[in-house]
Coordinates of all heavy atoms in Angstrom, one line a residue:
A1 N -7.6 -49.9 25.0 CA -7.2 -49.8 26.4 C -5.7 -50.2 26.6 O -5.0 -49.4 27.3 CB -8.1 -50.6 27.3
P2 N -5.2 -51.3 26.1 CA -3.8 -51.7 26.3 C -2.9 -50.6 25.8 O -1.8 -50.3 26.4 CB -3.7 -53.0 25.6 CG -5.1 -53.6 25.5 CD -5.9 -52.4 25.3
V3 N -3.1 -50.1 24.6 CA -2.3 -49.1 24.0 C -2.3 -47.8 24.8 O -1.2 -47.2 25.1 CB -2.7 -48.8 22.5 CG1 -1.7 -47.8 21.9 CG2 -2.7 -50.1 21.7
L4 N -3.5 -47.4 25.2 CA -3.6 -46.2 26.1 C -2.9 -46.3 27.4 O -2.3 -45.4 27.9 CB -5.0 -45.8 26.2 CG -5.7 -45.2 25.0 CD1 -7.2 -45.0 25.2 CD2 -5.1 -43.8 24.6
A5 N -3.0 -47.5 28.0 CA -2.4 -47.8 29.3 C -0.8 -47.6 29.1 O -0.2 -47.1 30.0 CB -2.7 -49.2 29.8
T6 N -0.3 -48.2 28.1 CA 1.2 -48.1 27.8 C 1.6 -46.6 27.6 O 2.6 -46.2 28.1 CB 1.6 -48.9 26.6 OG1 1.2 -50.3 26.8 CG2 3.1 -48.9 26.4
I7 N 0.7 -45.9 26.8 CA 1.0 -44.5 26.6 C 1.0 -43.7 27.9 O 1.8 -42.8 28.1 CB 0.1 -43.9 25.5 CG1 0.4 -44.5 24.1 CG2 0.2 -42.4 25.4 CD1 -0.5 -44.1 23.1
D8 N 0.0 -43.9 28.7 CA -0.1 -43.2 30.0 C 1.1 -43.5 30.8 O 1.6 -42.6 31.5 CB -1.4 -43.7 30.7 CG -2.7 -43.1 30.1 OD1 -2.6 -42.2 29.3 OD2 -3.8 -43.7 30.3
K9 N 1.6 -44.7 30.8 CA 2.8 -45.0 31.6 C 4.0 -44.2 31.0 O 4.9 -43.7 31.8 CB 3.1 -46.5 31.5 CG 4.2 -46.9 32.5 CD 4.4 -48.4 32.5 CE 5.4 -48.8 33.6 NZ 6.7 -48.2 33.4
L10 N 4.1 -44.1 29.7 CA 5.2 -43.3 29.1 C 5.1 -41.8 29.6 O 6.1 -41.2 29.9 CB 5.1 -43.3 27.6 CG 5.5 -44.6 26.9 CD1 5.2 -44.5 25.4 CD2 6.9 -45.0 27.2
W11 N 3.9 -41.3 29.6 CA 3.7 -39.9 30.1 C 4.2 -39.8 31.5 O 5.0 -38.8 31.9 CB 2.2 -39.5 30.0 CG 1.7 -39.1 28.7 CD1 1.5 -39.8 27.6 CD2 1.3 -37.7 28.4 NE1 1.0 -39.0 26.6 CE2 0.9 -37.8 27.0 CE3 1.3 -36.5 29.0 CZ2 0.5 -36.6 26.3 CZ3 0.9 -35.4 28.4 CH2 0.4 -35.4 27.1
K12 N 3.8 -40.7 32.4 CA 4.2 -40.6 33.8 C 5.7 -40.8 34.0 O 6.3 -40.1 34.8 CB 3.4 -41.7 34.6 CG 3.5 -41.5 36.1 CD 2.9 -40.2 36.5 CE 2.9 -40.0 38.0 NZ 2.4 -38.7 38.4
D13 N 6.3 -41.8 33.2 CA 7.7 -42.1 33.4 C 8.5 -40.9 32.9 O 9.6 -40.6 33.4 CB 8.1 -43.3 32.6 CG 7.5 -44.6 33.3 OD1 7.1 -44.5 34.4 OD2 7.5 -45.7 32.6
L14 N 8.1 -40.2 31.8 CA 8.8 -39.1 31.3 C 8.8 -38.0 32.3 O 9.8 -37.3 32.6 CB 8.1 -38.6 30.0 CG 8.7 -37.3 29.4 CD1 10.1 -37.4 29.0 CD2 7.8 -36.8 28.2
E15 N 7.6 -37.7 32.9 CA 7.5 -36.7 34.0 C 8.5 -37.1 35.1 O 9.2 -36.2 35.6 CB 6.1 -36.7 34.5 CG 5.9 -35.7 35.7 CD 4.5 -35.7 36.2 OE1 3.5 -36.0 35.5 OE2 4.3 -35.5 37.4
N16 N 8.5 -38.3 35.6 CA 9.4 -38.7 36.7 C 10.9 -38.5 36.3 O 11.7 -38.0 37.1 CB 9.1 -40.2 37.1 CG 7.8 -40.4 37.7 OD1 7.2 -39.4 38.3 ND2 7.2 -41.6 37.6
D17 N 11.2 -39.0 35.1 CA 12.7 -38.9 34.7 C 13.1 -37.5 34.6 O 14.3 -37.2 34.9 CB 12.9 -39.7 33.4 CG 12.7 -41.2 33.6 OD1 12.7 -41.6 34.8 OD2 12.7 -41.9 32.6
L18 N 12.3 -36.6 34.0 CA 12.7 -35.2 33.8 C 12.8 -34.5 35.2 O 13.7 -33.7 35.4 CB 11.8 -34.5 32.9 CG 11.9 -34.9 31.4 CD1 10.9 -34.1 30.6 CD2 13.3 -34.7 30.9
N19 N 11.9 -34.8 36.1 CA 12.0 -34.2 37.4 C 13.1 -34.7 38.2 O 13.7 -34.0 39.1 CB 10.7 -34.4 38.2 CG 9.6 -33.4 37.8 OD1 9.6 -32.3 38.3 ND2 8.6 -33.8 37.0
A20 N 13.5 -35.9 37.9 CA 14.7 -36.5 38.6 C 16.0 -35.9 38.3 O 17.0 -36.1 39.0 CB 14.7 -38.0 38.4
L21 N 16.0 -35.1 37.2 CA 17.3 -34.4 36.8 C 17.6 -33.3 37.8 O 18.7 -32.8 37.8 CB 17.2 -33.9 35.4 CG 17.1 -34.9 34.3 CD1 16.9 -34.2 32.9 CD2 18.4 -35.8 34.2
A22 N 16.6 -32.8 38.5 CA 16.8 -31.6 39.4 C 17.6 -32.1 40.6 O 17.5 -33.2 41.1 CB 15.5 -31.1 39.8
T23 N 18.5 -31.2 41.0 CA 19.2 -31.5 42.3 C 18.3 -31.3 43.4 O 17.2 -30.8 43.3 CB 20.4 -30.5 42.4 OG1 19.9 -29.1 42.5 CG2 21.3 -30.5 41.2
D24 N 18.7 -31.8 44.6 CA 17.9 -31.7 45.8 C 17.6 -30.2 46.1 O 16.5 -29.9 46.5 CB 18.6 -32.3 47.0 CG 18.7 -33.8 46.9 OD1 18.0 -34.4 46.1 OD2 19.6 -34.4 47.5
E25 N 18.5 -29.4 45.9 CA 18.3 -27.9 46.2 C 17.3 -27.4 45.2 O 16.4 -26.6 45.6 CB 19.6 -27.2 46.1 CG 19.5 -25.7 46.4 CD 20.8 -24.9 46.3 OE1 21.9 -25.6 46.1 OE2 20.8 -23.7 46.3
Q26 N 17.4 -27.7 43.9 CA 16.5 -27.2 42.9 C 15.1 -27.7 43.2 O 14.1 -27.0 43.1 CB 16.9 -27.7 41.5 CG 18.1 -26.9 41.0 CD 18.6 -27.5 39.7 OE1 18.5 -28.8 39.4 NE2 19.2 -26.7 38.8
Y27 N 15.0 -29.0 43.6 CA 13.7 -29.6 43.9 C 13.0 -28.9 45.1 O 11.8 -28.6 45.1 CB 13.8 -31.1 44.1 CG 12.5 -31.9 44.0 CD1 12.1 -32.4 42.8 CD2 11.7 -32.1 45.1 CE1 10.9 -33.1 42.7 CE2 10.5 -32.8 45.0 CZ 10.1 -33.3 43.8 OH 9.0 -34.0 43.7
K28 N 13.8 -28.7 46.1 CA 13.2 -28.1 47.3 C 12.8 -26.6 47.1 O 11.8 -26.2 47.6 CB 14.3 -28.1 48.5 CG 14.5 -29.5 49.0 CD 15.6 -29.5 50.1 CE 15.9 -30.9 50.6 NZ 16.9 -30.9 51.7
R29 N 13.6 -26.0 46.3 CA 13.3 -24.5 46.0 C 12.1 -24.3 45.1 O 11.3 -23.4 45.3 CB 14.5 -23.9 45.4 CG 14.4 -22.4 45.1 CD 15.6 -21.8 44.5 NE 16.8 -22.0 45.3 CZ 18.0 -21.7 44.9 NH1 18.2 -21.2 43.6 NH2 19.1 -21.9 45.7
H30 N 12.0 -25.2 44.1 CA 10.9 -24.9 43.1 C 9.8 -25.9 43.1 O 8.7 -25.6 42.6 CB 11.6 -24.9 41.7 CG 12.7 -23.9 41.5 ND1 12.4 -22.6 41.4 CD2 14.0 -24.1 41.4 CE1 13.6 -21.9 41.2 NE2 14.6 -22.8 41.3
G31 N 10.0 -27.1 43.6 CA 8.9 -28.1 43.7 C 8.8 -28.8 42.4 O 9.2 -28.4 41.3
R32 N 8.0 -29.9 42.4 CA 7.8 -30.8 41.2 C 7.0 -30.1 40.2 O 6.0 -29.4 40.6 CB 7.2 -32.1 41.7 CG 7.0 -33.1 40.6 CD 6.2 -34.3 41.1 NE 6.1 -35.3 40.0 CZ 7.0 -36.3 39.8 NH1 8.1 -36.3 40.4 NH2 6.8 -37.2 38.8
L33 N 7.3 -30.2 38.9 CA 6.5 -29.7 37.8 C 5.8 -30.8 37.2 O 6.4 -31.7 36.5 CB 7.4 -28.9 36.8 CG 6.7 -28.3 35.7 CD1 5.8 -27.1 36.2 CD2 7.6 -27.8 34.6
P34 N 4.4 -30.8 37.2 CA 3.7 -31.9 36.5 C 3.7 -31.7 35.1 O 3.8 -30.6 34.5 CB 2.3 -31.7 37.1 CG 2.2 -30.3 37.6 CD 3.6 -29.9 38.0
I35 N 3.5 -32.8 34.3 CA 3.5 -32.7 32.9 C 2.2 -32.2 32.3 O 2.2 -31.7 31.2 CB 3.8 -34.1 32.3 CG1 4.2 -34.1 30.8 CG2 2.7 -35.1 32.5 CD1 4.8 -35.4 30.3
G36 N 1.1 -32.3 33.0 CA -0.1 -31.8 32.5 C -0.8 -32.7 31.5 O -0.3 -33.9 31.3
K37 N -1.8 -32.3 30.9 CA -2.6 -33.1 29.9 C -2.7 -32.3 28.6 O -2.6 -31.1 28.6 CB -4.0 -33.3 30.4 CG -4.1 -33.9 31.8 CD -3.7 -35.4 31.8 CE -3.9 -36.0 33.2 NZ -3.5 -37.4 33.2
V38 N -2.8 -33.1 27.5 CA -3.0 -32.5 26.2 C -4.5 -32.5 25.9 O -5.2 -33.4 26.2 CB -2.1 -33.2 25.2 CG1 -2.6 -34.6 25.0 CG2 -2.2 -32.5 23.8
G39 N -5.0 -31.5 25.2 CA -6.4 -31.4 24.8 C -7.3 -31.1 25.9 O -8.5 -31.6 25.8
R40 N -6.9 -30.4 26.9 CA -7.8 -30.0 28.0 C -8.9 -29.1 27.6 O -8.7 -28.2 26.7 CB -7.0 -29.3 29.1 CG -6.1 -30.2 29.9 CD -6.8 -31.1 30.9 NE -7.8 -30.4 31.6 CZ -7.5 -29.7 32.7 NH1 -6.3 -29.6 33.2 NH2 -8.5 -29.0 33.4
R41 N -10.1 -29.2 28.2 CA -11.2 -28.2 28.0 C -11.6 -27.7 29.4 O -11.3 -28.3 30.4 CB -12.4 -28.9 27.4 CG -12.1 -29.5 26.0 CD -13.4 -30.0 25.4 NE -14.1 -30.9 26.2 CZ -13.9 -32.2 26.2 NH1 -13.0 -32.7 25.4 NH2 -14.6 -33.0 27.0
A42 N -12.3 -26.6 29.4 CA -12.8 -26.0 30.6 C -13.8 -26.9 31.3 O -14.6 -27.5 30.6 CB -13.4 -24.6 30.4
F43 N -13.6 -27.1 32.6 CA -14.5 -27.9 33.4 C -14.6 -29.4 32.9 O -15.7 -30.0 32.9 CB -15.9 -27.3 33.4 CG -16.0 -25.8 33.9 CD1 -16.2 -24.8 33.0 CD2 -15.7 -25.5 35.2 CE1 -16.2 -23.5 33.4 CE2 -15.7 -24.2 35.6 CZ -15.9 -23.2 34.7
D44 N -13.5 -29.9 32.5 CA -13.5 -31.3 32.1 C -13.2 -32.2 33.4 O -13.2 -31.7 34.5 CB -12.4 -31.6 31.1 CG -11.0 -31.2 31.5 OD1 -10.8 -30.9 32.7 OD2 -10.1 -31.2 30.7
S45 N -13.1 -33.5 33.2 CA -13.0 -34.4 34.3 C -11.7 -34.2 35.1 O -11.6 -34.4 36.3 CB -13.0 -35.8 33.8 OG -12.0 -36.1 32.8

């Protein structure tokens, strides 16, 4: 659990930092892009 919690924070921080590179105009025009999940299956949680 502690390792996964740290990794989950890395995922979230990476998403935030990359979206923060967009200018205000780019962000308003295109909207935030989520990072998604790896290893997804149909009808998962």
Side-chain angles (χ1 to χ4, degrees):
V3 184
L4 286 172
T6 303
I7 290 174
D8 288 341
K9 188 175 186 306
L10 288 176
W11 278 71
K12 193 63 180 177
D13 290 346
L14 174 63
E15 177 184 331
N16 291 335
D17 288 350
L18 288 179
N19 277 280
L21 292 175
T23 64
D24 291 341
E25 181 180 353
Q26 288 172 328
Y27 196 90
K28 290 178 181 178
R29 181 183 303 173
H30 302 287
R32 183 182 183 88
L33 181 68
I35 194 170
K37 308 286 187 182
V38 63
R40 287 287 311 278
R41 299 188 306 272
F43 305 108
D44 60 9
S45 58

